[in-house]
Amino acid sequence: MLVRDAMSSVVLTIGPAHTLRQAARLMSARRVGAAIVLDTDTSGLGILTERDILNALGSDRNPDHETADAHTTRDVVFAAPTWTLEEAADAMTRGGFRHLVVLDDHGPVGIVSVRDIIRCWTPARLAV
């Protein structure tokens, strides 16, 4: 099975000026654990995860003043839609993270998470 089969193609994209509270609200509303941070001024691409927000709050940072930019991971490991799930899981294990931004030749097309991979690898999916 490939990353494109497991990834979420509905991606939350935010700007670097979003506050952590705004980012958390958007992530909560969309029920996602990560957002792509797109800086249109620099064409930079990063990722902000629920763990990044949690670490900031645990360090007594003010979520109404702290911006996504200050907590964005910029050294992002990207996956291709044609990677196998094993390749994605290996990259996550080596990097110690739970989300991969999926890129094709035109830019971000999705995010794959550990949860997405587990869903695909679980033989008996229970109906909820």
Side-chain angles (χ1 to χ4, degrees):
M1 189 168 275
L2 302 179
V3 165
R4 72 172 156 240
D5 302 319
M7 73 181 193
S8 171
S9 58
V10 178
V11 178
L12 173 60
T13 303
I14 63 172
H18 276 81
T19 66
L20 292 183
R21 185 176 308 280
Q22 290 170 324
R25 282 184 177 151
L26 289 168
M27 290 165 65
S28 178
R30 302 238 176 116
R31 301 185 66 188
V32 297
I36 292 177
V37 180
L38 182 60
D39 189 340
T40 55
D41 292 335
T42 64
S43 297
L45 187 71
I47 189 167
L48 180 74
T49 67
E50 56 199 359
R51 183 179 298 171
D52 297 325
I53 295 171
L54 184 64
N55 287 340
L57 294 176
S59 298
D60 292 327
R61 304 295 174 121
N62 185 329
D64 294 313
H65 294 114
E66 291 289 317
T67 62
D69 186 57
H71 301 278
T72 296
T73 300
R74 302 221 179 276
D75 187 19
V76 179
V77 176
F78 298 103
T82 56
W83 278 18
T84 66
L85 294 185
E86 289 82 5
E87 289 173 304
D90 183 57
M92 290 178 188
T93 301
R94 281 185 282 111
F97 43 80
R98 298 177 294 176
H99 298 87
L100 283 171
V101 176
V102 183
L103 291 180
D104 68 8
D105 294 335
H106 306 290
V109 294
I111 291 183
V112 65
S113 70
V114 169
R115 184 175 297 162
D116 297 327
I117 293 171
I118 290 170
R119 272 192 213 125
C120 290
W121 284 348
T122 303
R125 296 183 195 127
L126 299 175
V128 179

Short mmCIF file of all heavy atoms in Angstrom, two decimals, residues 9-48:
data_model
loop_
_atom_site.label_atom_id
_atom_site.label_comp_id
_atom_site.label_asym_id
_atom_site.label_seq_id
_atom_site.Cartn_x
_atom_site.Cartn_y
_atom_site.Cartn_z
N SER A 9 -5.98 13.96 2.23
CA SER A 9 -5.73 14.96 1.20
C SER A 9 -6.36 16.31 1.54
O SER A 9 -6.12 17.30 0.86
CB SER A 9 -6.23 14.46 -0.15
OG SER A 9 -7.60 14.18 -0.09
N VAL A 10 -7.15 16.35 2.59
CA VAL A 10 -7.69 17.61 3.08
C VAL A 10 -6.70 18.12 4.11
O VAL A 10 -6.59 17.58 5.21
CB VAL A 10 -9.09 17.44 3.69
CG1 VAL A 10 -9.61 18.76 4.23
CG2 VAL A 10 -10.04 16.85 2.66
N VAL A 11 -5.94 19.13 3.73
CA VAL A 11 -4.83 19.61 4.54
C VAL A 11 -5.16 20.98 5.10
O VAL A 11 -5.62 21.86 4.38
CB VAL A 11 -3.54 19.69 3.69
CG1 VAL A 11 -2.39 20.22 4.51
CG2 VAL A 11 -3.20 18.32 3.11
N LEU A 12 -4.89 21.14 6.39
CA LEU A 12 -5.05 22.45 7.02
C LEU A 12 -3.77 23.24 6.77
O LEU A 12 -2.68 22.78 7.14
CB LEU A 12 -5.30 22.30 8.52
CG LEU A 12 -5.32 23.59 9.33
CD1 LEU A 12 -6.42 24.53 8.85
CD2 LEU A 12 -5.48 23.29 10.81
N THR A 13 -3.90 24.37 6.13
CA THR A 13 -2.77 25.25 5.87
C THR A 13 -3.01 26.55 6.61
O THR A 13 -4.09 27.14 6.50
CB THR A 13 -2.61 25.53 4.37
OG1 THR A 13 -2.48 24.28 3.68
CG2 THR A 13 -1.38 26.37 4.09
N ILE A 14 -1.98 26.99 7.37
CA ILE A 14 -2.07 28.25 8.09
C ILE A 14 -0.85 29.10 7.74
O ILE A 14 0.11 28.60 7.16
CB ILE A 14 -2.14 28.03 9.63
CG1 ILE A 14 -0.88 27.36 10.15
CG2 ILE A 14 -3.40 27.24 9.99
CD1 ILE A 14 -0.81 27.29 11.67
N GLY A 15 -0.93 30.35 8.12
CA GLY A 15 0.19 31.26 7.89
C GLY A 15 1.06 31.37 9.14
O GLY A 15 0.63 31.01 10.24
N PRO A 16 2.27 31.88 8.97
CA PRO A 16 3.18 31.99 10.11
C PRO A 16 2.71 32.98 11.17
O PRO A 16 3.13 32.89 12.32
CB PRO A 16 4.49 32.44 9.48
CG PRO A 16 4.12 33.04 8.17
CD PRO A 16 2.87 32.35 7.73
N ALA A 17 1.82 33.90 10.83
CA ALA A 17 1.35 34.90 11.80
C ALA A 17 0.17 34.41 12.63
O ALA A 17 -0.23 35.09 13.59
CB ALA A 17 0.96 36.19 11.07
N HIS A 18 -0.39 33.26 12.31
CA HIS A 18 -1.46 32.72 13.16
C HIS A 18 -0.93 32.53 14.58
O HIS A 18 0.20 32.08 14.77
CB HIS A 18 -1.94 31.35 12.63
CG HIS A 18 -2.94 31.44 11.54
ND1 HIS A 18 -2.60 31.66 10.23
CD2 HIS A 18 -4.29 31.31 11.58
CE1 HIS A 18 -3.70 31.66 9.49
NE2 HIS A 18 -4.74 31.46 10.29
N THR A 19 -1.75 32.87 15.56
CA THR A 19 -1.34 32.60 16.93
C THR A 19 -1.51 31.11 17.21
O THR A 19 -2.21 30.40 16.48
CB THR A 19 -2.19 33.40 17.95
OG1 THR A 19 -3.53 32.91 17.91
CG2 THR A 19 -2.12 34.89 17.70
N LEU A 20 -0.88 30.66 18.28
CA LEU A 20 -1.03 29.25 18.65
C LEU A 20 -2.48 28.93 19.00
O LEU A 20 -2.97 27.85 18.69
CB LEU A 20 -0.11 28.90 19.82
CG LEU A 20 1.38 28.91 19.53
CD1 LEU A 20 2.16 28.47 20.76
CD2 LEU A 20 1.72 28.05 18.33
N ARG A 21 -3.19 29.88 19.60
CA ARG A 21 -4.60 29.64 19.91
C ARG A 21 -5.40 29.48 18.62
O ARG A 21 -6.23 28.58 18.50
CB ARG A 21 -5.20 30.75 20.77
CG ARG A 21 -6.64 30.41 21.18
CD ARG A 21 -7.27 31.42 22.12
NE ARG A 21 -6.50 31.72 23.29
CZ ARG A 21 -6.44 30.97 24.41
NH1 ARG A 21 -7.13 29.84 24.47
NH2 ARG A 21 -5.73 31.35 25.44
N GLN A 22 -5.18 30.34 17.65
CA GLN A 22 -5.88 30.23 16.37
C GLN A 22 -5.57 28.88 15.71
O GLN A 22 -6.47 28.21 15.20
CB GLN A 22 -5.49 31.37 15.43
CG GLN A 22 -6.00 32.72 15.86
CD GLN A 22 -5.37 33.84 15.04
OE1 GLN A 22 -4.20 33.79 14.67
NE2 GLN A 22 -6.18 34.87 14.77
N ALA A 23 -4.30 28.52 15.72
CA ALA A 23 -3.90 27.24 15.11
C ALA A 23 -4.58 26.08 15.83
O ALA A 23 -5.10 25.16 15.19
CB ALA A 23 -2.38 27.09 15.15
N ALA A 24 -4.58 26.12 17.16
CA ALA A 24 -5.19 25.04 17.94
C ALA A 24 -6.69 24.95 17.66
O ALA A 24 -7.23 23.84 17.53
CB ALA A 24 -4.95 25.25 19.43
N ARG A 25 -7.35 26.08 17.55
CA ARG A 25 -8.79 26.07 17.26
C ARG A 25 -9.07 25.46 15.89
O ARG A 25 -10.00 24.67 15.73
CB ARG A 25 -9.36 27.48 17.34
CG ARG A 25 -9.58 27.93 18.76
CD ARG A 25 -10.24 29.29 18.80
NE ARG A 25 -10.49 29.66 20.19
CZ ARG A 25 -10.53 30.90 20.63
NH1 ARG A 25 -10.35 31.91 19.78
NH2 ARG A 25 -10.76 31.16 21.89
N LEU A 26 -8.28 25.85 14.90
CA LEU A 26 -8.46 25.31 13.55
C LEU A 26 -8.17 23.81 13.51
O LEU A 26 -8.92 23.05 12.90
CB LEU A 26 -7.55 26.05 12.56
CG LEU A 26 -7.95 27.49 12.26
CD1 LEU A 26 -6.83 28.21 11.52
CD2 LEU A 26 -9.24 27.54 11.47
N MET A 27 -7.11 23.40 14.18
CA MET A 27 -6.76 21.98 14.21
C MET A 27 -7.86 21.19 14.92
O MET A 27 -8.24 20.10 14.47
CB MET A 27 -5.40 21.78 14.87
CG MET A 27 -4.25 22.29 14.01
SD MET A 27 -2.68 22.47 14.90
CE MET A 27 -2.31 20.79 15.30
N SER A 28 -8.37 21.72 16.01
CA SER A 28 -9.43 21.05 16.75
C SER A 28 -10.71 20.95 15.92
O SER A 28 -11.34 19.89 15.86
CB SER A 28 -9.71 21.80 18.06
OG SER A 28 -10.76 21.21 18.76
N ALA A 29 -11.07 22.04 15.27
CA ALA A 29 -12.29 22.05 14.45
C ALA A 29 -12.21 21.06 13.30
O ALA A 29 -13.21 20.44 12.93
CB ALA A 29 -12.55 23.47 13.93
N ARG A 30 -11.02 20.90 12.75
CA ARG A 30 -10.85 19.98 11.61
C ARG A 30 -10.44 18.58 12.05
O ARG A 30 -10.28 17.69 11.22
CB ARG A 30 -9.80 20.54 10.66
CG ARG A 30 -10.18 21.91 10.15
CD ARG A 30 -10.26 21.98 8.67
NE ARG A 30 -10.71 23.29 8.26
CZ ARG A 30 -9.98 24.12 7.54
NH1 ARG A 30 -8.78 23.78 7.15
NH2 ARG A 30 -10.48 25.28 7.20
N ARG A 31 -10.25 18.43 13.37
CA ARG A 31 -9.86 17.13 13.94
C ARG A 31 -8.59 16.57 13.32
O ARG A 31 -8.53 15.42 12.91
CB ARG A 31 -11.01 16.15 13.83
CG ARG A 31 -12.26 16.65 14.56
CD ARG A 31 -13.35 15.67 14.57
NE ARG A 31 -12.91 14.52 15.38
CZ ARG A 31 -13.57 13.40 15.47
NH1 ARG A 31 -14.69 13.23 14.82
NH2 ARG A 31 -13.11 12.42 16.22
N VAL A 32 -7.57 17.45 13.24
CA VAL A 32 -6.27 17.05 12.72
C VAL A 32 -5.19 17.35 13.75
O VAL A 32 -5.36 18.22 14.60
CB VAL A 32 -5.94 17.76 11.38
CG1 VAL A 32 -6.93 17.37 10.30
CG2 VAL A 32 -5.87 19.28 11.53
N GLY A 33 -4.10 16.63 13.67
CA GLY A 33 -3.02 16.80 14.63
C GLY A 33 -1.86 17.64 14.13
O GLY A 33 -0.86 17.81 14.82
N ALA A 34 -2.00 18.17 12.90
CA ALA A 34 -0.91 18.96 12.33
C ALA A 34 -1.45 19.91 11.28
O ALA A 34 -2.49 19.65 10.66
CB ALA A 34 0.14 18.06 11.71
N ALA A 35 -0.74 21.01 11.10
CA ALA A 35 -1.07 21.99 10.06
C ALA A 35 0.18 22.32 9.28
O ALA A 35 1.28 22.41 9.86
CB ALA A 35 -1.64 23.26 10.68
N ILE A 36 0.04 22.50 8.00
CA ILE A 36 1.15 22.98 7.19
C ILE A 36 1.20 24.49 7.36
O ILE A 36 0.19 25.18 7.24
CB ILE A 36 0.96 22.61 5.71
CG1 ILE A 36 1.07 21.08 5.53
CG2 ILE A 36 1.98 23.32 4.84
CD1 ILE A 36 0.82 20.60 4.13
N VAL A 37 2.40 24.99 7.66
CA VAL A 37 2.59 26.43 7.80
C VAL A 37 3.26 26.91 6.51
O VAL A 37 4.38 26.51 6.20
CB VAL A 37 3.46 26.78 9.03
CG1 VAL A 37 3.63 28.29 9.16
CG2 VAL A 37 2.83 26.20 10.30
N LEU A 38 2.54 27.73 5.78
CA LEU A 38 3.01 28.20 4.49
C LEU A 38 3.32 29.68 4.59
O LEU A 38 2.43 30.48 4.87
CB LEU A 38 1.95 27.95 3.42
CG LEU A 38 2.29 28.34 1.99
CD1 LEU A 38 3.53 27.58 1.51
CD2 LEU A 38 1.11 28.06 1.09
N ASP A 39 4.58 30.03 4.36
CA ASP A 39 5.00 31.43 4.38
C ASP A 39 5.11 31.89 2.93
O ASP A 39 6.07 31.57 2.23
CB ASP A 39 6.33 31.56 5.10
CG ASP A 39 6.72 33.01 5.33
OD1 ASP A 39 6.19 33.89 4.63
OD2 ASP A 39 7.57 33.25 6.21
N THR A 40 4.11 32.62 2.47
CA THR A 40 4.08 33.04 1.07
C THR A 40 5.16 34.07 0.75
O THR A 40 5.54 34.22 -0.41
CB THR A 40 2.70 33.62 0.70
OG1 THR A 40 2.39 34.68 1.60
CG2 THR A 40 1.63 32.55 0.77
N ASP A 41 5.68 34.76 1.76
CA ASP A 41 6.75 35.74 1.52
C ASP A 41 8.07 35.06 1.19
O ASP A 41 8.86 35.58 0.41
CB ASP A 41 6.94 36.65 2.74
CG ASP A 41 5.74 37.57 2.95
OD1 ASP A 41 5.02 37.85 1.97
OD2 ASP A 41 5.53 37.99 4.10
N THR A 42 8.30 33.90 1.79
CA THR A 42 9.59 33.22 1.58
C THR A 42 9.43 31.91 0.83
O THR A 42 10.41 31.22 0.59
CB THR A 42 10.27 32.91 2.93
OG1 THR A 42 9.45 31.98 3.66
CG2 THR A 42 10.49 34.16 3.75
N SER A 43 8.20 31.57 0.49
CA SER A 43 7.89 30.27 -0.14
C SER A 43 8.33 29.12 0.75
O SER A 43 8.57 28.01 0.28
CB SER A 43 8.56 30.15 -1.51
OG SER A 43 8.06 31.13 -2.37
N GLY A 44 8.42 29.39 2.03
CA GLY A 44 8.80 28.35 2.99
C GLY A 44 7.62 27.50 3.38
O GLY A 44 6.47 27.94 3.37
N LEU A 45 7.93 26.27 3.74
CA LEU A 45 6.92 25.30 4.11
C LEU A 45 7.39 24.62 5.38
O LEU A 45 8.53 24.15 5.45
CB LEU A 45 6.75 24.29 2.99
CG LEU A 45 5.64 23.28 3.09
CD1 LEU A 45 4.30 23.95 2.90
CD2 LEU A 45 5.83 22.21 2.04
N GLY A 46 6.53 24.58 6.38
CA GLY A 46 6.86 23.91 7.63
C GLY A 46 5.64 23.19 8.16
O GLY A 46 4.59 23.15 7.52
N ILE A 47 5.79 22.63 9.35
CA ILE A 47 4.68 21.91 9.97
C ILE A 47 4.58 22.31 11.43
O ILE A 47 5.60 22.48 12.12
CB ILE A 47 4.84 20.38 9.80
CG1 ILE A 47 3.58 19.64 10.25
CG2 ILE A 47 6.09 19.87 10.50
CD1 ILE A 47 3.54 18.18 9.83
N LEU A 48 3.37 22.50 11.88
CA LEU A 48 3.06 22.78 13.29
C LEU A 48 2.18 21.65 13.76
O LEU A 48 1.14 21.38 13.16
CB LEU A 48 2.33 24.12 13.44
CG LEU A 48 1.95 24.51 14.86
CD1 LEU A 48 3.19 24.95 15.63
CD2 LEU A 48 0.91 25.63 14.85
#
